[in-house]
Amino acid sequence: MPIKIHPAFDKNALFQWCTLQRSLVAALGLAVCAFTHAEDLSYAQAEQSFLTQSFSSQASEALQQAAQLEAQAVKGLGLPRVDLNVRAYAFHSQVDVPLEKFKNNLDNNLSQNINNQIDQSGNIPNDIQGPIKAGIGQAIHDGVGMIPNKANISLEDQVIRPTVSVMMPIYTGGITSTTKEMANIRAQRSQLSTQQQQDLQRFELIQAYFNVQLQQKLMQSSRFNFDAVQRHYDNALKLERQGFINKGQRMQFEVAKNNAERLLQNTDSTLRSSLFQLNNLLQTQQVGRLTTPLFVNSTQNQSLMSLLKSYQEQSALIRKMQMDTQLANSNIKIQSAAKKPSIFAFGEYSLDDKNNWIVGVMARYNLFSGIDSNKNIQAAELQRYASELLTERAKQEIENIIYRSYNEAHTAQATHLLLQRNIKAAQENLRIQELSYKESMGTATEVIDAQNMLNALDSEMALNAYRYVMSLATLLQSHGSIASFQSYVNQPNTHFIR
């Protein structure tokens, strides 16, 4: 049953309070996000700061530079390899040398030479040549017999030998070219990883930045609702003292006030948490007034079908997974090349006073190493197959997200139009209730309820705008074009929730 208030009871004060409500809402909004010595911050400024100064961005940039350096490092693979070698060594060796054959040869040669000399000499009679040859042969045989049958030889030396060696692959079965190819693919993939990381950071910043805007709007609504209920409760106390209402009716207003205070405390805690998260992301102590409000675009820039057709060329995730398939193909080439022979040209030149040198060609073909090359090839082919399947599965997931987020954004746009109409109706209802109360035709409860309904619609407008912003960010993130998010903020026919 409506509660009637005496016309003379605080009617003028309540009416003036109601007429100043919109100014109070704006003033409370400024009070919530006012920080000492803090500058205004738009989303574009926050994004630029976040992408250049965050730890993730610096780490991604370092990894990208590392991959590019690795690709540059193998550019000269396949050129001759030149090494300067220095060998310093000492050696000691003992060898037993057999001398029996040497003794026999020496004995025979000496005996034969002496015999030849006697035969050629004309001064020795023939009848005594035989005894002479026999005597000398026996003497030679006895002398050679004094030589031992084997000799023990010790060899010792200390050597320092500098050389220059050259080795150049002539044929490696494709290992050289494939290694270069894989390094280049990894360098390109690292660029996509950096892009993907930046897209994730943009999404994270959008969520944090506009969550603060949402919580500030909800804080305004909660504060205004608490003030309205507090005023309602104060009036109830006066009405109870004057006998217009009983204690039970006054207790209802007290319960409503306590609930409004609890909601205000929870909203304030959530706002502080969202501000801390944004400060932490931007690596700053205080974030100033956020100048980019929540918004809802009147129209979508692209159709659903065009988004589903073009995401494969835009999405860094899909392009990375396609490069993973290319790397798997290269791995198959590497494993196949391990079964082929390799040919190298080599040479070495000694830098000491002897100037020794050697050149040649070496061919190598592995017969057995304990590793089954055929199974390695089969494993690489299965890895490629798995990469292709995972890529197709990722496409399905992305298409689902694009479809869902597109519809959610479209629904938020339609809801925004309905909320606009409802707000106009609520504003008109509030105007009527204010006039009714002014003319003693209505109650304070009806005025405050009308104001609370308008506040609730304002909160729902902010919540719906946040849902639209996050649906749009999810859509662009999945499509791979979240870098264009700022263009949606600035496009024509955009309604801002201030």
Side-chain angles (χ1 to χ4, degrees):
M1 179 176 181
I3 301 174
K4 295 289 183 180
I5 299 178
H6 193 276
F9 172 71
D10 202 20
K11 178 172 64 178
N12 294 332
L14 181 59
F15 179 75
Q16 292 175 358
W17 165 73
C18 291
T19 55
L20 293 175
Q21 55 195 323
R22 299 173 183 84
S23 299
L24 287 173
V25 170
L28 285 171
L30 293 175
V32 169
C33 56
F35 296 90
T36 306
H37 306 299
E39 298 180 355
D40 294 348
L41 183 69
S42 68
Y43 170 77
Q45 293 171 329
E47 179 183 294
Q48 181 180 6
S49 174
F50 187 43
L51 293 182
T52 56
Q53 298 179 10
S54 70
F55 300 120
S56 298
S57 295
Q58 297 178 48
S60 296
E61 184 179 355
L63 291 174
Q64 179 181 345
Q65 293 177 357
Q68 291 175 345
L69 290 174
E70 289 176 349
Q72 295 174 3
V74 298
K75 280 186 175 180
L77 197 63
L79 297 177
R81 170 174 174 168
V82 181
D83 295 311
L84 175 63
N85 312 300
V86 177
R87 298 185 183 92
Y89 57 91
F91 66 89
H92 171 80
S93 178
Q94 289 187 345
V95 180
D96 288 332
V97 180
L99 299 178
E100 291 180 357
K101 186 175 181 180
F102 170 75
K103 289 169 55 179
N104 292 333
N105 291 336
L106 180 62
D107 188 358
N108 293 332
N109 290 334
L110 288 176
S111 298
Q112 185 176 359
N113 289 334
I114 293 299
N115 291 337
N116 290 337
Q117 291 294 329
I118 292 174
D119 291 339
Q120 293 175 2
S121 174
N123 298 327
I124 301 175
N126 294 331
D127 55 344
I128 64 173
Q129 287 182 1
I132 294 174
K133 291 179 180 181
I136 295 175
Q138 184 61 40
I140 292 173
H141 181 74
D142 293 340
V144 170
M146 298 177 64
I147 300 175
N149 291 331
K150 61 179 181 179
N152 183 266
I153 300 176
S154 295
L155 300 177
E156 293 185 1
D157 199 359
Q158 294 180 352
V159 179
I160 298 178
R161 181 173 297 169
T163 61
V164 174
S165 62
V166 179
M167 179 173 289
M168 178 179 176
I170 299 175
Y171 176 76
T172 60
I175 293 179
T176 300
S177 59
T178 306
T179 301
K180 294 180 181 179
E181 176 184 308
M182 294 180 70
N184 290 329
I185 293 175
R186 290 192 181 99
Q188 296 172 13
R189 189 180 184 279
S190 69
Q191 294 178 353
L192 292 176
S193 296
T194 300
Q195 178 184 336
Q196 185 181 23
Q197 179 62 39
Q198 290 179 347
D199 289 349
L200 291 173
Q201 289 179 272
R202 287 187 178 97
F203 184 86
E204 184 180 11
L205 180 62
I206 290 170
Q207 188 176 32
Y209 185 96
F210 289 100
N211 184 45
V212 172
Q213 292 286 51
L214 171 63
Q215 298 307 322
Q216 288 178 350
K217 291 294 294 182
L218 296 179
M219 184 67 181
Q220 292 173 12
S221 178
S222 298
R223 170 62 67 182
F224 192 83
N225 181 61
F226 173 77
D227 291 342
V229 174
Q230 180 68 52
R231 179 65 64 91
H232 204 168
Y233 175 69
D234 293 340
N235 288 338
L237 288 173
K238 296 177 182 178
L239 291 172
E240 182 186 14
R241 286 194 294 265
Q242 294 180 1
F244 288 100
I245 62 175
N246 57 37
K247 182 178 179 181
Q249 291 174 315
R250 190 264 301 168
M251 290 294 291
Q252 292 178 354
F253 295 124
E254 183 175 353
V255 171
K257 178 185 75 70
N258 292 337
N259 288 335
E261 184 177 6
R262 178 174 55 83
L263 178 62
L264 178 63
Q265 292 174 351
N266 292 338
T267 306
D268 179 68
S269 176
T270 305
L271 174 59
R272 291 178 183 275
S273 298
S274 62
L275 283 170
F276 178 84
Q277 181 183 5
L278 184 59
N279 281 324
N280 204 15
L281 280 180
L282 299 178
Q283 301 179 37
T284 182
Q285 296 298 322
Q286 289 182 333
V287 174
R289 185 174 65 91
L290 305 183
T291 59
T292 304
L294 291 165
F295 65 94
V296 177
N297 300 124
S298 301
T299 58
Q300 290 281 12
N301 286 354
Q302 302 182 62
S303 66
L304 178 59
M305 294 307 300
S306 65
L307 291 169
L308 290 173
K309 289 180 180 179
S310 60
Y311 78 90
Q312 296 187 35
E313 291 75 24
Q314 296 287 335
S315 173
L317 173 61
I318 296 301
R319 293 161 64 192
K320 274 182 60 179
M321 298 186 74
Q322 290 171 343
M323 285 192 172
D324 289 339
T325 302
Q326 295 178 18
L327 287 173
N329 278 325
S330 298
N331 187 36
I332 294 175
K333 296 179 183 178
I334 290 286
Q335 299 301 330
S336 299
K339 296 179 61 178
K340 299 177 182 179
S342 56
I343 302 175
F344 297 87
F346 67 92
E348 187 174 48
Y349 180 79
S350 176
L351 299 179
D352 56 13
D353 54 353
K354 298 180 180 179
N355 297 327
N356 296 327
W357 58 268
I358 183 175
V359 294
V361 176
M362 178 181 68
R364 182 176 60 190
Y365 181 77
N366 178 255
L367 297 177
F368 179 77
S369 65
I371 298 176
D372 193 331
S373 300
N374 292 326
K375 285 186 170 55
N376 275 340
I377 295 174
Q378 292 174 3
E381 290 174 344
L382 289 174
Q383 290 171 355
R384 178 186 61 186
Y385 179 61
S387 178
E388 292 173 347
L389 293 178
L390 290 174
T391 302
E392 295 303 316
R393 177 56 182 161
K395 290 179 182 179
Q396 290 179 331
E397 291 292 333
I398 290 176
E399 289 170 359
N400 290 337
I401 295 174
I402 290 176
Y403 187 88
R404 182 175 64 250
S405 57
Y406 184 91
N407 288 333
E408 289 174 352
H410 182 73
T411 301
Q413 289 174 322
T415 302
H416 179 75
L417 296 177
L418 294 175
L419 287 172
Q420 283 182 314
R421 290 198 291 267
N422 288 344
I423 285 177
K424 290 180 180 179
Q427 290 172 342
E428 179 63 17
N429 180 50
L430 177 60
R431 187 186 68 82
I432 293 173
Q433 297 300 330
E434 289 174 348
L435 290 175
S436 298
Y437 180 77
K438 182 178 180 181
E439 297 175 0
S440 301
M441 298 295 293
T443 65
T445 301
E446 293 171 339
V447 175
I448 295 177
D449 287 345
Q451 180 59 54
N452 288 341
M453 181 179 294
L454 181 59
N455 291 338
L457 289 172
D458 285 336
S459 298
E460 182 61 28
M461 180 76 79
L463 285 167
N464 185 68
Y466 181 74
R467 283 193 290 266
Y468 173 77
V469 169
M470 294 312 301
S471 297
L472 177 63
T474 303
L475 175 64
L476 297 177
Q477 165 74 5
S478 303
H479 181 258
S481 56
I482 197 172
S484 64
F485 177 81
Q486 294 185 39
S487 65
Y488 288 82
V489 179
N490 302 321
Q491 78 176 32
N493 301 321
T494 298
H495 183 76
F496 295 100
I497 313 301
R498 301 187 184 278

